[in-house]
Amino acid sequence: MTKKIDPRVKLLFVICISSLGLAFTKFSMLLAVFFIGLLISHVLKADLFMLLKRIKIMLYLFVVLVVIQSIFVRSGDSLVNLGGITILTSEGLSRGFAYLMRVLIILISGAIIATCDMRRLIQGLIQMKLPYDFAFMTSIGVKFLPLLMEELKDTLTAIQLRGIDIGKLQLKERIEIISYIFTPVFVGALSKAKKLSLSVECRGFRAFDNRTSILTLKFSPFDYLAITLTFILTATLIITNQYFI
Amino acid sequence: MNEFIRIERLFCSLNKVQVLRNINMTLNSKEFVSIIGPNGSGKTTLGKVITGIIKQDSGEIFIDNKNIKDLSLPEIGRKIGYLFQNPDRQIFASTVYEELSFALKYKKTSIDIIEKRVGEILDIFELNHLRDASTYSLSQGEKQRLAIGAILLNDPEYLILDEPTTGLDPKRKNELSKLLNSLINHVGILLISHDKAFVLKHSDRIIELYDGSLKNDKKN
């Protein structure tokens, strides 16, 4: 199923659910979009657990942001009161959850895109008239990401193997260490980009205005059905949000 | 010679591929041991497992009688100096001086001692003229020497050198030879290498790995 669906259809899924996630403000509607996104990601066999594992550190930040959103909104009925000071209001709680839903919808969108074969996705972007240079840069960026992550890990390991326990350093020293971790990766990425650009130009990249491709994407009847259903569902959700809730 | 590293029934896999199979060995302090074997035989993985960079599936590794499961990377790093196969992966400071003085600075060593010790290493490795040079502009050989120098400043009791002769010309290889000869009275060395002549010249013991298993372990 994952392989069968055209990457442009997956892009349409993502554009629809992420746009609705950003446009809707009512909690019930956001919850509906979230469940629809979850259903799509399940059908496409998106690896949500792997995604959550990768962004584990950022999850704490999301939780903190949800709490901050909840606490700093003063309107609505008081729900938690400490010594006469309102800590949490109904509106604050609702906005906090709405924020959480939006983050989850964006994460699901990322997981759906991750199910695409990158070569097919780039071909899809080209057939959508995106300039080849941009599509090529995107594909290279995606391919280099794991390599950069590995380099970051190696630099961190090298620092620790010098006997430096980062956890035991003072805050100022820890901030200094961050520059030691990121500088070589940044410089290395620039150097790789330079070598790569030279290499692709030596192989005739952009030698002609138009490129042909052995891979051409064609919508199947199933893709047309998925596109139609996506439009119908999106319109239904917009109408429901506008007139019924 | 005292036992410094002991490996018992070590198994390790990477991306679901078994890389090391039932490795048992001891490595002694002040002993020069080389690990040889074809590409993909598990030499580099073994070095990384010993230093705790890669976790083993099963089996035990003891460094100085302490199980590495109970040691953190910095604790292992204070005992073992590990030279990566690619020095680019372990040089992280902007200048040669900064790279060499890094560990001493964070160990709160006084400026005078840092100057003295870094100066000694700059002399030994003939990097004096590059003291303030950017580490990104160094040649492969200079990077290799800098990486070894930075490790030595950490006063390790044992060195694991993964392909240290890569990128070195015959003159630099000779200098590395001299340096290793002078170090062997103070530290134990595990050399991972394809360079047969270099291995034969230095090793007290040669261990051969084949397809993740120990094939030979003999005195040189």
Side-chain angles (χ1 to χ4, degrees):
Chain A
M1 174 80 76
T2 310
K3 289 269 160 65
K4 251 196 264 174
I5 296 179
D6 192 290
R8 290 168 292 180
V9 179
K10 290 182 189 176
L11 269 175
L12 180 71
F13 290 156
V14 167
I15 290 167
C16 287
I17 62 167
S18 53
S19 306
L20 292 177
L22 291 173
F24 289 166
T25 50
K26 289 164 192 151
F27 180 66
S28 53
M29 291 309 294
L30 285 169
L31 203 63
V33 176
F34 167 70
F35 279 115
I36 290 166
L38 207 60
L39 183 71
I40 295 171
S41 65
H42 179 71
V43 170
L44 296 177
K45 294 191 176 114
D47 198 345
L48 285 174
F49 288 107
M50 180 58 84
L51 185 76
L52 287 174
K53 213 171 139 187
R54 279 189 186 166
I55 56 154
K56 205 164 68 182
I57 302 167
M58 282 170 74
L59 287 177
Y60 295 111
L61 185 70
F62 294 147
V63 173
V64 170
L65 286 173
V66 169
V67 173
I68 290 172
Q69 283 266 357
S70 308
I71 290 172
F72 283 90
V73 176
R74 314 305 308 158
S75 53
D77 301 326
S78 170
L79 293 177
V80 180
N81 208 310
L82 274 179
I85 300 165
T86 301
I87 303 290
L88 187 66
T89 66
S90 56
E91 185 62 23
L93 191 67
S94 162
R95 286 209 206 164
F97 272 110
Y99 174 78
L100 181 68
M101 282 299 115
R102 286 196 183 108
V103 169
L104 291 175
I105 289 165
I106 290 166
L107 289 181
I108 286 171
S109 303
I112 291 172
I113 286 292
T115 62
C116 296
D117 174 87
M118 278 306 146
R119 176 67 191 92
R120 284 168 58 83
L121 179 63
I122 300 304
Q123 186 61 26
L125 293 172
I126 294 165
Q127 286 182 224
M128 286 163 75
K129 305 294 174 206
L130 186 83
Y132 181 78
D133 293 10
F134 290 110
F136 181 76
M137 276 193 276
T138 313
S139 78
I140 292 293
V142 170
K143 276 178 193 160
F144 268 79
L145 214 55
L147 198 69
L148 295 179
M149 294 300 285
E150 200 183 306
E151 282 184 12
L152 272 178
K153 216 172 137 188
D154 277 351
T155 309
L156 186 63
T157 303
I159 290 174
Q160 288 177 298
L161 282 177
R162 297 274 179 93
I164 307 298
D165 198 339
I166 298 169
K168 287 181 183 166
L169 293 177
Q170 292 170 353
L171 186 63
K172 189 184 154 233
E173 291 172 325
R174 274 194 229 181
I175 294 167
E176 268 178 24
I177 295 275
I178 290 173
S179 79
Y180 281 115
I181 297 171
F182 283 96
T183 311
V185 177
F186 185 67
V187 174
L190 285 177
S191 151
K192 272 189 203 85
K194 205 173 156 186
K195 285 178 194 162
L196 192 71
S197 66
L198 195 66
S199 160
V200 292
E201 291 199 356
C202 285
R203 284 194 258 168
F205 185 73
R206 290 200 299 194
F208 301 99
D209 289 339
N210 295 317
R211 278 180 70 96
T212 54
S213 173
I214 199 162
L215 174 71
T216 314
L217 299 179
K218 274 187 188 155
F219 284 126
S220 66
F222 185 81
D223 291 323
Y224 285 116
L225 180 70
I227 291 169
T228 313
L229 284 176
T230 308
F231 279 126
I232 291 171
L233 194 62
T234 306
T236 310
L237 284 167
I238 293 170
I239 292 165
T240 310
N241 180 61
Q242 202 73 25
Y243 300 106
F244 298 104
I245 291 183
Chain B
M1 279 191 287
N2 301 320
E3 174 191 290
F4 190 74
I5 296 169
R6 188 168 80 250
I7 302 169
E8 295 174 354
R9 299 178 305 280
L10 178 74
F11 286 84
C12 180
S13 56
L14 294 175
N15 301 322
K16 295 175 185 167
V17 175
Q18 196 72 47
V19 183
L20 296 173
R21 296 182 177 87
N22 197 21
I23 304 286
N24 292 282
M25 65 168 82
T26 54
L27 301 167
N28 302 319
S29 51
K30 295 174 193 175
E31 181 188 32
F32 198 119
V33 182
S34 290
I35 294 192
I36 56 167
N39 286 341
S41 57
K43 305 184 297 296
T44 295
T45 305
L46 180 60
K48 287 190 173 178
V49 174
I50 293 173
T51 35
I53 299 171
I54 295 174
K55 301 281 174 226
Q56 71 265 40
D57 298 337
S58 63
E60 307 295 335
I61 300 169
F62 297 89
I63 296 173
D64 213 3
N65 286 322
K66 284 183 189 135
N67 195 320
I68 64 161
K69 285 176 186 165
D70 303 324
L71 297 171
S72 64
L73 263 186
E75 282 169 330
I76 296 171
R78 275 172 225 140
K79 289 178 177 291
I80 297 179
Y82 181 79
L83 178 78
F84 280 62
Q85 199 167 16
N86 179 359
D88 281 329
R89 292 285 173 101
Q90 76 184 96
I91 295 172
F92 45 79
S94 307
T95 68
V96 170
Y97 178 83
E98 214 182 320
E99 179 70 24
L100 292 171
S101 59
F102 175 83
L104 296 173
K105 181 181 151 192
Y106 285 97
K107 284 175 189 165
K108 313 277 185 265
T109 312
S110 72
I111 295 286
D112 294 343
I113 295 174
I114 292 179
E115 283 288 333
K116 185 175 168 274
R117 296 207 54 204
V118 169
E120 283 167 4
I121 291 291
L122 287 170
D123 283 339
I124 294 170
F125 288 93
E126 293 180 25
L127 291 167
N128 247 322
H129 62 295
L130 296 167
R131 186 190 149 101
D132 298 315
S134 160
T135 49
Y136 310 113
S137 63
L138 301 179
S139 70
Q140 185 70 10
E142 286 162 348
K143 281 181 186 171
Q144 196 74 277
R145 277 142 59 204
L146 174 63
I148 300 174
I151 290 168
L152 291 177
L153 274 166
N154 220 15
D155 296 326
E157 292 170 63
Y158 201 90
L159 284 177
I160 297 179
L161 308 174
D162 195 353
E163 302 281 1
T165 53
T166 309
L168 299 187
D169 57 30
K171 184 179 170 252
R172 300 291 178 207
K173 227 186 259 188
N174 256 333
E175 279 156 12
L176 181 65
S177 266
K178 277 186 217 160
L179 178 84
L180 294 182
N181 282 335
S182 69
L183 285 174
I184 197 61
N185 295 322
H186 310 284
V187 295
I189 295 173
L190 178 68
L191 174 77
I192 297 165
S193 184
H194 275 120
D195 193 330
K196 206 174 174 184
F198 198 82
V199 165
L200 288 171
K201 186 176 172 185
H202 292 280
S203 311
D204 299 319
R205 212 173 118 199
I206 299 172
I207 294 171
E208 191 179 351
L209 281 185
Y210 186 80
D211 199 19
S213 300
L214 215 144
K215 194 180 169 193
N216 263 315
D217 184 347
K218 58 185 179 191
K219 291 214 179 289
N220 186 25

